[in-house]
Amino acid sequence: MGNLPSSDGLNAGEWRDLGSVEAPAAGPAPVARRLSATRLHLNARPASLAVERERAREIVGLVKDSVTATFSDIRFGRKIQAANLAPMVSAIAASVARSPTALPSVTRIKLHDEYTYLHSVAVCGLMIALGNKLRLSPELTQEIGLAGLLHDIGKARIDADLLNKPGPLDLDEYGRVQAHTLRGYELLRDSGIESEIALDVCLHHHERIDGSGYPSGISQETLSIHARMAAVCDVFDAVTSNRAYKRSWSPGAALDWMMGTTGHFDPRVLRAFRGLLGVFPVGALVLLESQRLAVVIDEPAESPTTPDVAVFLCAATKRELAPVRVSTRSDPIIGLEVASKWALDDFEAKRERLLDEFGPA
């Protein structure tokens, strides 16, 4: 996780996140044309979170293959076939409807050579879940999901070495990365993509509500709800994913940082996003019934409301405690807390140490 960056630091580093695109040799038609509803779990009944995660793993693998084929098409000068992606978006929407947290938990772990495609899948899932949370219509949410799947398509035309460069970008490099929004818009338009939402999200997902984003510098008054949703989902997935040049943040750390920014995200959209990520995301600061402060360290598949935590402070006396893993089944969580309320000036470093010691391997 490491120290949380400034907004400028995020602009210069985290938001370039899409890795290299290794185009496979020309071969069969994209997988979306051949997949059955059964393999995509389109008609599956709701099940336990553990089962939904297994279903999500299969869906993610299939969608990743389809996105890979789409990026390959672009590299070889072919047009995007949106019809081939529609079943993929439907599968993600069905998964999210059964469990909003299953698919995001699966896409959070990304290997270097698959990051490009899984980021697109993850943002699609997050956009759909957020659309549901905002009570948008199913038809509109489906279109928003397609926009999420295609939002970073312009990075297929940017050199992989630049996208994966460790360390900060210079002004020329940063300008070239910023151009992915316009390139993506042009690719979608030239491919005959008629969805105004997909075109808008591709062009404007790096805008900010205070007008300091790019490429147009438009502010909240003219920025669409879809672009504001994409800004939240894109950043959250970027900062919670490991990259060659940075460690990932926990979901709790990412949300704390995002909620603490001003002028960047739409507060209403961000509040809705916070509500869909599960009751107690990993890294969240919580108060236990025993009046101890703790950090959430896991996401139990069968009981998401009773995660294990690492306690570190007595809330009543403000006395530091020897860190220890505790089950909240025996010491229930009272609620989420904010570090500033408890004057925890060193909380980011403390959270990182606790997750390193007690979190998942």
Side-chain angles (χ1 to χ4, degrees), residues 334-347:
I334 294 177
L336 291 164
E337 293 291 334
V338 179
S340 59
K341 171 184 173 182
W342 300 93
L344 300 175
D345 297 332
D346 63 341
F347 179 62

Side-chain angles (χ1 to χ4, degrees), residues 53-108:
R53 281 180 175 170
E54 288 303 314
R55 290 171 174 171
R57 286 189 183 94
E58 184 173 2
I59 292 168
V60 166
L62 296 171
V63 179
K64 182 190 73 173
D65 290 344
S66 190
V67 173
T68 302
T70 299
F71 272 76
S72 175
D73 283 345
I74 293 171
R75 287 175 64 87
F76 284 102
R78 294 189 287 265
K79 293 184 176 182
I80 299 167
Q81 302 297 319
N84 297 335
L85 298 175
M88 306 292 102
V89 177
S90 296
I92 292 172
S95 174
V96 168
R98 293 190 298 266
S99 171
T101 61
L103 191 137
S105 70
V106 169
T107 57
R108 195 171 299 141

Side-chain angles (χ1 to χ4, degrees), residues 18 63 67 71 85 89 92 116-129 140-154 188 193 195-203 205 226-227 229-231 233-234 237:
L18 265 187
V63 179
V67 173
F71 272 76
L85 298 175
V89 177
I92 292 172
T116 298
Y117 319 111
L118 283 184
H119 176 69
S120 298
V121 178
V123 172
C124 173
L126 291 171
M127 290 276 281
I128 289 172
L140 181 57
T141 300
Q142 181 88 0
E143 191 172 354
I144 289 171
L146 177 64
L149 203 60
L150 295 172
H151 80 288
D152 259 343
I153 200 71
L188 296 185
I193 302 297
S195 169
E196 291 296 329
I197 291 175
L199 291 165
D200 175 46
V201 165
C202 191
L203 185 61
H205 63 277
H226 319 110
M229 291 167 64
C233 297
D234 180 56
D237 184 68

